[in-house]
Amino acid sequence: MARQDHPSKTGSKTERRQSANSSATPPEAAAANHRADARPADGTNGKQTASQTNKASVDATSSQLSGSSEKWKASGGAKGPGASGDAHTLHSRVESLLQDVRFALRTLRKSWGFGLTAILTLALGIGANTAIFQLVDAVRLRSLPVPHPERLAGVQVKNGNRGFGVTVTDNETALTYPLWEQIRLHQEVFSNLFAWADSGSASLGEGAQMRRARGLWFSGDAFNTLGIYPLRGRFFTAQDDRMGCGTPGAVISYGLWQSEFAGQDAASGSNIIVDGRPTEVIGVAPRSFFGLEVGKSFDFALPFCSLETYFPGSGTTTRADYFWIHVLGRLRPGVTLQRASSELAAISPGLIDATLPSGYGANALKVYRNYRLTVFPAGTGVSSLRQTYDTSLWLLLTITAMVLLIACANLANLMLVRASTREREMAVRLALGASRWRLIRQLLSEGLLLAAGGALLGIVLAGVFSRSLIRFLSTEGDTIRLDLSMDWRVLLFTGLIAIATCVIFGLVPAFRSSRADPGLALKSGSRGSTAGPERFSFQRLLVVSQLAVSVVLLVGALLFVRSFWNLVKLDPGFRERGILIAVLDFRRLTFSPERNTEFIRELLTETRTVPQVESAATSTHIPLNGGSWNLGVHINGLEGGSKFTWVSPKYFQTMSIPLLAGREFSDLDTRTSPRVAIVNETFVQKYLSGQNPLGNVIRTTPEPGYPPSEYEIVGVIKDTKYDELREPAPAITFAPADQYPNAGAWAILFIRFSSPPSAVISAVRDKLSAVSPAITFDFHVLHTDIQNGLVRERLMALLSGFFGALAALLAMIGLYGVMSYIVAMRKNEIGIRMALGASRASVIGIIVRQTLTMLGVGVGAGLVLSMAAARGANSLLYGLEANDPLTLFSAAAFLAAVALAASYIPAYRASRVDPMNALRYE
């Protein structure tokens, strides 16, 4: 007996030629070919009485294929009690699996349109899920590119600094420099410890080549503790980091080495200009090291000891109320996070007392004395992206998973339709002795191939999607840099999704096909069916599930779109458009505080002479940039706090903020004149409700650099947003710029313009550079900055809207496909009804009623799920509740309209059935 590599090779040469023009045919399905050959060609379809036809067909099939069946069984197609033990060897199992895969490939090749559609559908769904998970992995899960990151831990104040002092970072893990020094001296839980800080934006280069760059401050033990080595040159050490060191050198990033020095070894020993000061390059960091804050990269790193060189008189290393550095280290062997936290908490009172800041009142110092230090895992670094986008990314991952679920439901319906067309093939294989598990495995092989193809293409699309999202989230002044390479977590996630999709859309069709009754399938001779509704129950369940999930996605889409629209249309209380912000830095001029104030006034006067400038003023605060300054106040026996901003005359005019009572500031409000203030409506309601605010005196509590002062209220303005669009207007006090007690060598100009921003920027830069070339500039368009602050909301609105629309489209396609299939399978029934006098309207009603039933159940379930799930999105919404009735009704109404439109076409076709054509198959 000749060996058969695959059951499909059984049969005569004629049968093989026939199978080449049809779907790939396993041996037991050859009965279908014999039966087709036995049909008469007289156009009668061989119709006799049903019993005669079926009996003859079964007998003929059994007789003609008995020889083939015996050969196939002998080759291992069916396993009985006498099967040899060799059939259970690993080799035979692998060979059997390969046969299934080859057969599945041939089957899909014959139905390449279906295969291509399925793979593309899965690729889009898997790609979207993988892209979002890549961002989750890069932001939250991926470890720092250093040896043994799991041993890294950070030190922070438990529950944050609670608003005490000055915080210059968005991250709650910031400490003060004096506190870091005390921790370094007294801790015993870390084998190595270091501090680092973000220096913010600094100028790099000079003249026309000057650009903004990001620097980092490091203590001397930083690189040694991290366990990284220089690519070129050396890193600075603890011996280099000694106060008063001047400029011992800078370590530059791999990116700066490539862009500024073209990757040449000569970079070491060369100079770069940092904030106008020549700084020697002593080393180059490895390519993988981006810093310690995920989402950001650095250009150069400097030791803390050189702070006084670049920022003379800043006091950042001596102020015990200035929270700006991060402390990280490697735990000693055997020390757990819990033990380290306990030991640091035990020594905290002594460290706090040793760093008690001066210049604060008793109540403020009570807050500081209650600080306790704790330890947190730092193997993944720190990141403001986690705080901003963590909830959004997990929500997006849930949304994309729901879209993939809907796509899988559609594919399951398609697989069920394909399975119904192969019922006779499966019945013959069962009749000839094939096990049900073998049939299930064969059909699952097709699903697995589709899922694998979708996963491979999805990985390619995920790279495109994730990088597009990064570009979307990045702004002109804040470029996000993430490592989006495929690590084991991303690959595992993609593999699990592929397996899950295969199970979802392939398992039920496979089980249904394997449960076919051979006798009934071989007796069935009609193309249509008058089977009862139970035949299509699973397809209906899939459609109901699609509708329910689509409602959830549509509700989410409408909520996020409406929330974003509310923020875009929100009036902040001041002029947004046509305002240019110029941040000036003139530290290199080394003026005294009094001269700083005079110089700022001179710069403002020069700016107002620029032809493109309509109005200009200064302020110590940029609205809606997340920063704030708060001082304690006493007024009329009440004690509280107020935001403080010092502004120049014409500020309210420049920003179009209406004055409700009193007067604005003038040039007569100087450093030596009585202190005056203008407050907003919220301040009046909070402290002076029912009283005339004009003439009341505000007394401020002392803070370092801000001695206690008294301000007479001379005006009231309309409420304006302060640091966040989402937050209600706080109590705000405005004071004259000349009375600012802590004037430094910087200024923030607000310029109202009417020309293109680029022309205004160029004109203002030329004008002020003529005053002093030592001034550095940083320009922003206020409206652009405000819009950039809504990137998260814009992302959620855009993606949720897209996926919600896609879900509705997929649900419509799924409903249309199921209803079309049901109509096709019930064609005979419909023909009989119409032959017995049923009208076309009644036929349409039958189909539409089925649609309404599925729609009612699906939409009802979807609304319940939406109300339960939307609570998790409350923190991301503005101006509406998660269970907003209008949103729920709109989503349900839209989906109902789409579903009815999708079902009307099959219903209309059913009403046009010709009874004679339909009954011909009976």
Side-chain angles (χ1 to χ4, degrees):
M1 179 183 295
R3 189 177 72 88
Q4 300 174 21
D5 292 332
H6 191 276
S8 64
K9 294 181 180 180
T10 303
S12 66
K13 294 179 180 179
T14 302
E15 291 166 351
R16 292 179 192 173
R17 286 196 298 270
Q18 289 171 345
S19 68
N21 297 321
S22 61
S23 62
T25 309
E28 58 272 32
N33 293 335
H34 285 278
R35 181 170 178 181
D37 294 340
R39 269 187 198 164
D42 57 3
T44 65
N45 288 328
K47 290 186 179 180
Q48 304 170 31
T49 64
S51 60
Q52 291 172 336
T53 302
N54 294 331
K55 185 176 184 302
S57 176
V58 173
D59 291 343
T61 300
S62 302
S63 173
Q64 293 170 359
L65 292 181
S66 59
S68 297
S69 174
E70 292 298 324
K71 291 180 181 180
W72 178 72
K73 289 180 182 179
S75 66
K79 293 176 174 58
S84 66
D86 294 337
H88 298 285
T89 62
L90 178 62
H91 175 75
S92 64
R93 293 186 182 215
V94 172
E95 180 66 22
S96 178
L97 179 61
L98 291 176
Q99 289 175 1
D100 290 337
V101 172
R102 286 195 294 266
F103 181 66
L105 282 172
R106 289 199 299 270
T107 302
L108 292 175
R109 186 178 61 190
K110 298 298 182 182
S111 305
W112 64 269
F114 164 77
L116 183 62
T117 301
I119 288 175
L120 288 177
T121 301
L122 289 174
L124 289 173
I126 294 175
N129 278 271
T130 303
I132 301 299
F133 185 78
Q134 269 189 295
L135 295 182
V136 173
D137 177 54
V139 171
R140 174 161 286 280
L141 306 177
R142 187 165 299 193
S143 299
L144 291 172
V146 300
H148 303 292
E150 72 280 357
R151 298 299 301 167
L152 286 176
V155 181
Q156 66 176 6
V157 175
K158 190 174 182 178
N159 300 322
N161 62 13
R162 291 162 242 174
F164 178 85
V166 182
T167 303
V168 295
T169 175
D170 294 334
N171 200 286
E172 296 181 353
T173 63
L175 300 175
T176 66
Y177 196 90
L179 196 53
W180 139 246
E181 289 184 317
Q182 290 295 315
I183 294 171
R184 178 172 55 181
L185 291 174
H186 297 94
Q187 68 82 25
E188 296 180 352
V189 295
F190 291 95
S191 57
N192 295 92
L193 199 65
F194 72 95
W196 71 277
D198 186 345
S199 72
S201 178
S203 64
L204 186 66
E206 56 185 351
Q209 303 299 320
M210 187 176 67
R211 65 179 181 87
R212 307 305 295 179
R214 181 172 178 261
L216 296 177
W217 299 107
F218 276 124
S219 62
D221 287 331
F223 294 107
N224 179 52
T225 303
L226 290 172
I228 59 177
Y229 300 95
L231 188 64
R232 297 288 188 276
R234 68 177 184 88
F235 291 147
F236 43 77
T237 63
Q239 287 69 34
D240 296 314
D241 185 25
R242 299 179 182 276
M243 283 301 167
C245 63
T247 54
V251 174
I252 63 174
S253 68
Y254 180 89
L256 188 67
W257 181 50
Q258 292 293 321
S259 62
E260 297 293 325
F261 299 98
Q264 298 179 1
D265 293 340
S268 296
S270 301
N271 284 339
I272 57 175
I273 308 299
V274 179
D275 279 341
R277 289 175 173 80
T279 306
E280 181 185 358
V281 175
I282 63 172
V284 179
R287 184 173 189 173
S288 61
F289 184 68
F290 56 82
L292 295 165
E293 184 170 4
V294 177
K296 293 184 179 180
S297 61
F298 75 103
D299 293 298
F300 59 87
L302 300 169
F304 278 115
C305 65
S306 60
L307 263 167
E308 283 299 314
T309 302
Y310 294 94
F311 298 95
S314 64
T316 52
T317 58
T318 57
R319 287 188 60 173
D321 64 336
Y322 201 74
F323 294 83
W324 68 294
I325 69 170
H326 306 276
V327 175
L328 272 68
R330 290 190 179 273
L331 293 173
R332 293 184 183 276
V335 176
T336 64
L337 289 172
Q338 293 75 12
R339 176 184 165 186
S341 294
S342 299
E343 293 194 18
L344 283 181
I347 65 174
S348 290
L351 304 184
I352 296 301
D353 287 340
T355 59
L356 202 65
S358 59
Y360 285 92
N363 290 337
L365 290 179
K366 184 178 179 181
V367 173
Y368 187 81
R369 289 181 186 275
N370 288 330
Y371 283 173
R372 292 297 178 267
L373 298 176
T374 187
V375 173
F376 65 94
T380 57
V382 300
S383 178
S384 60
L385 291 177
R386 292 177 194 150
Q387 302 173 11
T388 305
Y389 293 106
D390 188 62
T391 302
S392 300
L393 288 176
W394 287 114
L395 277 176
L396 286 175
L397 189 60
T398 304
I399 289 172
T400 52
M402 288 183 174
V403 173
L404 181 59
L405 190 63
I406 295 175
C408 287
N410 272 351
L411 289 179
N413 273 325
L414 288 177
M415 296 287 282
L416 285 169
V417 173
R418 279 171 52 83
S420 68
T421 64
R422 299 173 64 183
E423 281 184 351
R424 185 171 303 226
E425 172 195 339
M426 298 297 111
V428 171
R429 296 182 68 177
L430 287 170
L432 295 178
S435 68
R436 295 187 184 276
W437 168 241
R438 180 61 187 270
L439 297 185
I440 292 173
R441 193 178 67 190
Q442 178 66 73
L443 294 172
L444 280 178
S445 296
E446 295 181 19
L448 186 60
L449 286 176
L450 294 175
L456 291 175
L457 183 57
I459 288 176
V460 176
L461 294 178
V464 177
F465 293 160
S466 58
R467 283 168 176 77
S468 299
L469 287 175
I470 291 299
R471 285 193 293 269
F472 184 88
L473 295 175
S474 298
T475 61
E476 182 180 351
D478 186 16
T479 301
I480 295 177
R481 303 183 185 277
L482 291 173
D483 180 8
L484 297 177
S485 59
M486 290 285 175
D487 63 3
W488 66 269
R489 281 181 295 268
V490 177
L491 293 176
L492 177 62
F493 176 82
T494 306
L496 291 176
I497 286 184
I499 295 172
T501 54
C502 174
V503 171
I504 291 172
F505 73 77
L507 198 57
V508 172
F511 271 108
R512 176 171 288 191
S513 296
S514 70
R515 291 165 61 93
D517 189 316
L520 292 178
L522 291 174
K523 290 177 183 179
S524 177
S526 61
R527 190 180 72 171
S529 175
T530 58
E534 65 277 359
R535 177 183 177 89
F536 313 109
S537 58
F538 186 73
Q539 285 96 322
R540 291 194 180 98
L541 178 61
L542 287 176
V543 171
V544 168
S545 302
Q546 285 181 296
L547 292 172
V549 174
S550 297
V551 169
V552 175
L553 293 178
L554 281 174
V555 168
L558 289 175
L559 286 174
F560 287 121
V561 169
R562 290 184 62 198
S563 174
F564 175 65
W565 185 251
N566 290 341
L567 287 169
V568 169
K569 291 300 179 181
L570 181 66
D571 180 14
F574 54 79
R575 184 187 184 99
E576 293 181 69
R577 298 182 182 273
I579 297 294
L580 178 69
I581 298 174
V583 181
L584 312 180
D585 183 345
F586 48 91
R587 284 173 295 167
R588 284 188 283 174
L589 298 179
T590 63
F591 290 147
S592 65
E594 294 77 12
R595 177 55 183 146
N596 284 337
T597 302
E598 296 175 1
F599 189 66
I600 293 171
R601 194 161 48 243
E602 293 171 9
L603 295 176
L604 182 59
T605 301
E606 290 295 323
T607 302
R608 289 170 177 167
T609 64
V610 176
Q612 295 91 339
V613 173
E614 295 181 353
S615 178
T618 65
S619 173
T620 58
H621 175 256
I622 301 176
L624 304 180
N625 76 335
S628 68
W629 188 262
N630 193 78
L631 288 177
V633 297
H634 299 267
I635 181 170
N636 280 353
L638 297 177
E639 183 178 349
S642 172
K643 305 294 184 184
F644 262 76
T645 303
W646 286 264
V647 300
S648 69
K650 297 187 178 180
Y651 173 79
F652 301 112
Q653 174 189 338
T654 301
M655 299 296 290
S656 300
I657 301 175
L659 183 71
L660 303 180
R663 69 172 180 88
E664 292 191 19
F665 299 134
S666 69
D667 292 335
L668 299 178
D669 297 313
T670 63
R671 176 179 292 272
T672 58
S673 66
R675 297 183 180 274
V676 293
I678 296 175
V679 297
N680 68 342
E681 294 173 289
T682 298
F683 186 98
V684 174
Q685 293 167 6
K686 184 176 181 179
Y687 296 110
L688 299 166
S689 180
Q691 301 181 37
N692 180 9
L694 301 182
N696 280 277
V697 175
I698 303 170
R699 295 175 177 84
T700 63
T701 57
E703 289 192 13
Y706 297 83
S709 304
E710 293 185 353
Y711 296 86
E712 180 186 352
I713 299 176
V714 297
V716 178
I717 61 165
K718 185 180 178 181
D719 275 344
T720 61
K721 296 292 184 179
Y722 186 74
D723 56 348
E724 292 284 347
L725 269 178
R726 293 172 170 270
E727 300 298 327
I732 307 176
T733 301
F734 294 89
D738 283 0
Q739 296 178 0
Y740 185 42
N742 198 21
W746 55 273
I748 303 174
L749 301 184
F750 286 73
I751 302 168
R752 193 166 76 188
F753 62 90
S754 55
S755 301
S758 56
V760 181
I761 291 173
S762 178
V764 171
R765 179 185 282 112
D766 292 343
K767 174 66 72 171
L768 299 186
S769 294
V771 175
S772 173
I775 302 174
T776 60
F777 306 88
D778 193 12
F779 291 96
H780 305 270
V781 177
L782 179 60
H783 180 70
T784 302
D785 284 352
I786 293 175
Q787 294 303 306
N788 288 342
L790 299 176
V791 169
R792 183 186 65 179
E793 288 76 8
R794 186 181 294 108
L795 173 73
M796 293 301 299
L798 180 66
L799 293 186
S800 65
F802 170 75
F803 287 125
L806 180 61
L809 177 63
L810 291 174
M812 181 180 70
I813 294 173
L815 180 61
Y816 171 79
V818 168
M819 297 309 298
S820 296
Y821 175 65
I822 291 175
V823 167
M825 297 303 292
R826 298 179 64 184
K827 190 173 184 180
N828 296 347
E829 174 194 342
I830 294 170
I832 293 173
R833 287 177 179 271
M834 297 189 70
L836 295 176
S839 65
R840 291 179 174 177
S842 65
V843 172
I844 292 176
I846 292 172
I847 307 302
V848 172
R849 278 195 296 274
Q850 292 185 10
T851 301
L852 289 176
T853 300
M854 291 187 290
L855 185 63
V857 176
V859 170
L863 290 176
V864 173
L865 291 174
S866 297
M867 288 187 286
R871 296 170 186 164
N874 255 330
S875 62
L876 300 176
L877 301 178
Y878 179 81
L880 72 165
E881 294 296 325
N883 295 330
D884 178 64
L886 177 61
T887 300
L888 296 174
F889 174 78
S890 299
F894 176 76
L895 193 60
V898 169
L900 289 174
S903 66
Y904 178 76
I905 297 177
Y908 179 79
R909 288 178 178 171
S911 69
R912 296 292 173 179
V913 168
D914 186 341
M916 295 303 296
N917 289 333
L919 294 175
R920 178 182 302 168
Y921 299 101
E922 293 294 325

